[in-house]
Amino acid sequence: MPRASQTNSSAVPVVAMIGGGQLARMTHQAAIALGQTLRVLAVDPNDPAAQVSPDIVLGSHTDYDALVKVAQGATVVTFDHEHVPTEHLDRLVADGVTVAPPPEALVHAQDKLVMRRRLADLGAPIPQFAEVTAADEAQEFSREVGGAAVIKTIRGGYDGRGVVLLDTPEQAREVAAKYLTDGVPILIEERVAMRRELSALVARSAFGQGSAWPVVQTVQRDGICVEVIAPAPDLPDDLAASAQQLGLRLAAELGVIGVLAVELFETVDGRILVNELAMRPHNSGHWTMDGAVTSQFEQHLRAVLDYPLGETSARAEIVVMSNVLGAPETPAMSLDERIHHLFARMPDAKVHMYGKGERPGRKLGHVNLVGKPGEDVAAVRERANRASHWLSHAQWTDNWNEHGTDTE
């Protein structure tokens, strides 16, 4: 990929990111350190990235004219999310725009059926699956795998949306019928007997250089990642290496340019299976901002600009990220005051807020805790989750009171 700096030593490359969410906001922070400004296509001036970047194009990712505008003069166009219509991206590429990852790669993160079929062709470990075009097909598949199954919408699902867990063939038929009646394409998968969920985060440059971070454990609640533990505790070295190699192989085979998150199931019998793919910075990589030599956001920029990739090793034996989710009731205490109190009690907490209004369950930010020498996994997890809960609820999970009395 020819870069502006190769033809004009004074030129600064322009990375345009489609989507103005928290991933774009944090990518912009990494761009600043590289002497750059991230251009962002945002829907609203109050979007997280639009609050901080001076180079904003307002418009929808489904509006081709808006995509053309944000791409004009850009060195490369990349993504905060995967929801841009593939046909729009194909037109941009045909007009000479460099898109990373390219549409033929990104489609595997947009369309779960395309992804499953391609992974099957590559011999990657995946759950049993089938396309569903009639409700009876879902019922029969569920019966064949013993009842427990999962129906997923083929496009558009994220953070648990578009995913329905099933216990019986009858339930599978009922759920499938509803989706199909609404005209929503779906597939069905076996429900894996899993020990836990993992994520193998890798990056690949346009030149083909690859890098992999330590494999992490992700903790999900209501379909949302709420905690990440790096590296994944008690993961055998051979299984961790296999997961990293799988991520790097998929990035190469699919032609990914940028960061790729391979979400995995670790099964109760010690295997790993691919659950989902994301071709962008990912929630499972937020820990890298404070816990790795190179953050996922800087690495994504390096990869799409075809810079040499950065070192990915962890800075400590244990790093825990805990998401700050909106509380059922917004605390009376201001967020600024909550941060003040958190820093007074936990000065090593690294807080990353996204500039969003508070509402129940919304991802408002995250906290990273880097483990201290001799500190075990349980202790770091407790501190990270205590910090994020305080920022969400203005309540300490251990009933601590700065004035020296418990608040039962």
Side-chain angles (χ1 to χ4, degrees):
M1 181 193 301
R3 293 185 278 116
S5 58
Q6 294 173 319
T7 57
N8 182 348
S9 61
S10 64
V12 175
V14 176
V15 177
M17 183 166 269
I18 299 173
Q22 62 260 26
L23 300 179
R25 182 184 177 106
M26 290 181 279
T27 304
H28 175 63
Q29 292 175 251
I32 292 171
L34 301 180
Q36 302 169 11
T37 295
L38 189 75
R39 181 183 298 166
V40 174
L41 178 65
V43 175
D44 188 280
N46 291 317
D47 284 350
Q51 297 174 24
V52 297
S53 174
D55 192 357
I56 299 297
V57 174
L58 292 178
S60 170
H61 61 273
T62 61
D63 181 351
Y64 182 71
D65 290 338
L67 297 176
V68 170
K69 187 175 181 181
V70 79
Q72 187 172 6
T75 311
V76 61
V77 173
T78 189
F79 307 94
D80 168 277
H81 60 73
E82 294 98 345
H83 305 308
V84 185
T86 306
E87 59 271 19
H88 287 357
L89 297 177
D90 288 336
R91 287 179 65 187
L92 289 178
V93 172
D95 289 338
V97 176
T98 300
V99 176
E104 61 269 23
L106 187 65
V107 69
H108 297 93
Q110 296 174 315
D111 187 306
K112 292 181 176 64
L113 186 59
V114 170
M115 180 262 290
R116 280 283 179 253
R117 287 172 171 167
R118 181 77 169 113
L119 293 183
D121 290 342
L122 293 173
I126 57 174
Q128 296 181 62
F129 75 98
E131 181 181 11
V132 176
T133 58
D136 288 344
E137 295 172 352
Q139 184 175 20
E140 180 58 26
F141 181 94
S142 174
R143 184 178 293 115
E144 289 176 356
V145 298
V150 184
I151 281 181
K152 297 181 178 180
T153 57
I154 289 175
R155 281 183 175 260
Y158 68 99
D159 280 351
R161 298 173 178 86
V163 177
V164 181
L165 302 180
L166 312 164
D167 296 315
T168 66
E170 293 72 27
Q171 189 181 11
R173 188 183 194 287
E174 179 183 345
V175 172
K178 183 179 185 308
Y179 274 121
L180 295 172
T181 299
D182 292 339
V184 178
I186 56 173
L187 58 79
I188 190 168
E189 298 179 352
E190 65 172 318
R191 202 154 100 211
V192 175
M194 67 173 181
R195 178 187 174 205
R196 56 182 171 176
E197 295 189 53
L198 305 172
S199 178
L201 194 74
V202 302
R204 180 175 179 271
S205 72
F207 180 73
Q209 182 187 9
S211 65
W213 286 271
V215 177
V216 302
Q217 178 180 340
T218 64
V219 179
Q220 315 290 322
R221 185 169 64 236
D222 299 327
I224 297 175
C225 177
V226 296
E227 184 185 2
V228 173
I229 309 159
D234 303 318
L235 183 66
D237 290 344
D238 59 343
L239 202 59
S242 294
Q244 289 178 311
Q245 289 301 318
L246 175 62
L248 292 168
R249 180 167 77 91
L250 293 181
E253 294 278 9
L254 300 178
V256 175
I257 299 173
V259 167
L260 168 68
V262 183
E263 298 179 61
L264 301 164
F265 296 133
E266 182 186 359
T267 66
V268 293
D269 58 358
R271 296 175 297 143
I272 54 171
L273 301 175
V274 178
N275 178 27
E276 303 280 359
L277 301 177
M279 297 182 188
R280 52 171 170 75
H282 190 255
N283 203 157
S284 67
H286 290 350
W287 70 274
T288 64
M289 297 177 76
D290 304 294
V293 175
T294 306
S295 79
Q296 65 166 340
F297 300 102
E298 179 184 334
Q299 196 80 308
H300 188 72
L301 290 171
R302 289 195 191 201
V304 302
L305 288 170
D306 208 10
Y307 292 166
L309 298 182
E311 169 63 46
T312 51
S313 60
R315 292 186 177 276
E317 293 185 3
I318 305 163
V319 184
V320 176
M321 182 229 69
S322 186
N323 270 332
V324 180
L325 304 178
E329 294 186 12
T330 300
M333 183 186 295
S334 72
L335 179 59
D336 178 67
E337 190 174 357
R338 281 173 259 162
I339 292 174
H340 180 104
H341 284 282
L342 175 66
F343 286 163
R345 185 180 185 195
M346 302 174 66
D348 61 330
K350 303 300 290 185
V351 175
H352 302 271
M353 302 306 296
Y354 306 152
K356 294 181 176 181
E358 296 184 66
R359 67 168 184 249
R362 191 181 200 188
K363 288 182 182 178
L364 305 176
H366 68 271
V367 179
N368 286 334
L369 261 293
V370 176
K372 300 174 182 178
E375 194 173 25
D376 63 18
V377 173
V380 185
R381 291 184 68 182
E382 189 280 327
R383 290 200 302 123
N385 290 319
R386 187 201 320 158
S388 65
H389 189 275
W390 167 259
L391 291 176
S392 297
H393 296 73
Q395 298 171 349
W396 294 111
T397 53
D398 60 354
N399 297 315
W400 182 80
N401 185 288
E402 62 186 10
H403 302 296
T405 58
D406 288 342
T407 54
E408 293 296 340

